[in-house]
Amino acid sequence: ISYKYIPGKLLSDVQNKLIFKKFLKFCYKNLWNENYKKFNYKFELENLSSACLKFYKNKTYKRVQEYLEKYKVEDKISIINNQKIPKTAELLSMINWKDICDPHPVLFHGDLQPENIIFTKKNFFRLIDWREDFGGLQILGDLYYDLAKLHHALIVNGKIIRENKFKIDIKNDKVYFKIKKRTHLIKYLNELENFVKQKNWSLKKLRIMSSLIYLNIAVLHHYP
């Protein structure tokens, strides 16, 4: 797969809140609406809920199990940054999966994190690294997945991870971690959450989805 070269900057490196707000409007105009009705979408609409169940709940349980087996660790109560955290299985059992898997149909990108967004010199946005399908569907996806992909990557940015700007210490089953945050991305995070509230979308659902993404990608990364 190849792309035509587009001069510009990654959105993650653009330190301008107005440009980020412009990006949210761009997504709302081009993806987060009913543009999918231009396509042959009815079959996919009928199967979107089952795709969400497979993509969210089933995949999460599978990935967590893969993580436990890969690293030979036990799912148990943890103390993380002096806070008592229940077992992962218990946390997952608290989720209202019916609500999480109730889709908000949109055209989807599938990995809408700021390092996949190019802000061009002509003040346009270009998106790269599109996901090829959403739980087997090729037209429709769920709004909250794209929102959550953006949300989680504003908190933990890929550049910070690649540059090892984090610390993890484990002593006597107590975990301490600290990760550097990029100030402008945290401002973008606030703008994203405000945007969600303005559209009367569910901020609670978004935050849960964002957390699920961290769980799902954990097994794909190497230590630490």
Side-chain angles (χ1 to χ4, degrees):
I1 298 175
S2 65
Y3 297 93
K4 179 181 177 181
Y5 180 76
I6 303 290
K9 295 178 67 175
L10 298 181
L11 185 62
S12 54
D13 294 331
V14 176
Q15 299 188 33
N16 187 319
K17 189 166 66 173
L18 293 178
I19 290 176
F20 183 75
K21 293 173 76 170
K22 183 178 179 181
F23 171 71
L24 294 177
K25 291 179 180 178
F26 164 86
C27 288
Y28 188 74
K29 178 181 178 182
N30 294 283
L31 295 173
W32 301 339
N33 54 37
E34 295 187 342
N35 279 347
Y36 64 85
K37 291 185 177 180
K38 300 174 184 176
F39 302 90
N40 185 14
Y41 68 92
K42 292 186 178 179
F43 170 81
E44 299 211 347
L45 189 60
E46 292 171 355
N47 289 277
L48 187 55
S49 292
S50 59
C52 286
L53 179 65
K54 179 170 64 175
F55 201 52
Y56 297 158
K57 183 179 180 180
N58 297 352
K59 188 177 78 170
T60 298
Y61 276 95
K62 181 172 180 276
R63 288 278 178 86
V64 168
Q65 188 59 38
E66 287 175 356
Y67 181 90
L68 297 175
E69 292 174 0
K70 179 178 179 179
Y71 291 105
K72 296 179 174 56
V73 295
E74 180 186 355
D75 183 16
K76 58 185 179 180
I77 295 173
S78 305
I79 305 296
I80 303 177
N81 288 6
N82 296 318
Q83 184 171 350
K84 187 176 181 181
I85 306 297
K87 296 179 181 180
T88 304
E90 183 179 343
L91 290 171
L92 291 177
S93 72
M94 296 164 61
I95 293 176
N96 182 344
W97 290 104
K98 184 177 179 181
D99 178 59
I100 292 297
C101 298
D102 182 24
H104 183 134
V106 293
L107 298 175
F108 72 97
H109 178 276
D111 195 8
L112 197 67
Q113 55 102 345
E115 292 186 346
N116 286 338
I117 302 155
I118 299 172
F119 182 62
T120 75
K121 293 182 179 180
K122 295 183 179 180
N123 293 329
F124 291 121
F125 298 101
R126 293 290 181 263
L127 311 183
I128 62 173
D129 201 16
W130 293 69
R131 189 180 185 91
E132 69 276 11
D133 69 86
F134 182 88
L137 305 181
Q138 295 183 330
I139 297 174
L140 290 184
D142 178 30
L143 165 72
Y144 285 92
Y145 190 71
D146 270 358
L147 288 173
K149 275 286 186 172
L150 185 58
H151 187 275
H152 97 285
L154 293 174
I155 300 171
V156 179
N157 177 247
K159 182 178 180 181
I160 296 299
I161 299 300
R162 290 191 297 272
E163 294 178 354
N164 293 312
K165 293 181 177 178
F166 58 88
K167 294 181 180 179
I168 298 175
D169 188 29
I170 303 175
K171 291 182 179 177
N172 300 322
D173 291 331
K174 292 184 179 180
V175 180
Y176 299 90
F177 79 89
K178 185 176 183 180
I179 185 166
K180 182 178 177 61
K181 294 186 175 71
R182 301 177 73 183
T183 304
H184 68 287
L185 296 186
I186 296 304
K187 291 179 180 178
Y188 292 177
L189 180 74
N190 293 331
E191 288 298 328
L192 174 61
E193 293 198 344
N194 287 334
F195 184 82
V196 167
K197 288 188 285 188
Q198 290 167 9
K199 298 299 181 186
N200 291 318
W201 298 334
S202 172
L203 185 56
K204 179 182 178 181
K205 183 173 179 177
L206 168 58
R207 288 173 174 170
I208 292 173
M209 284 292 307
S210 186
S211 300
L212 290 177
I213 287 173
Y214 289 126
L215 276 181
N216 274 272
I217 64 177
V219 71
L220 305 180
H221 289 274
H222 57 75
Y223 183 87

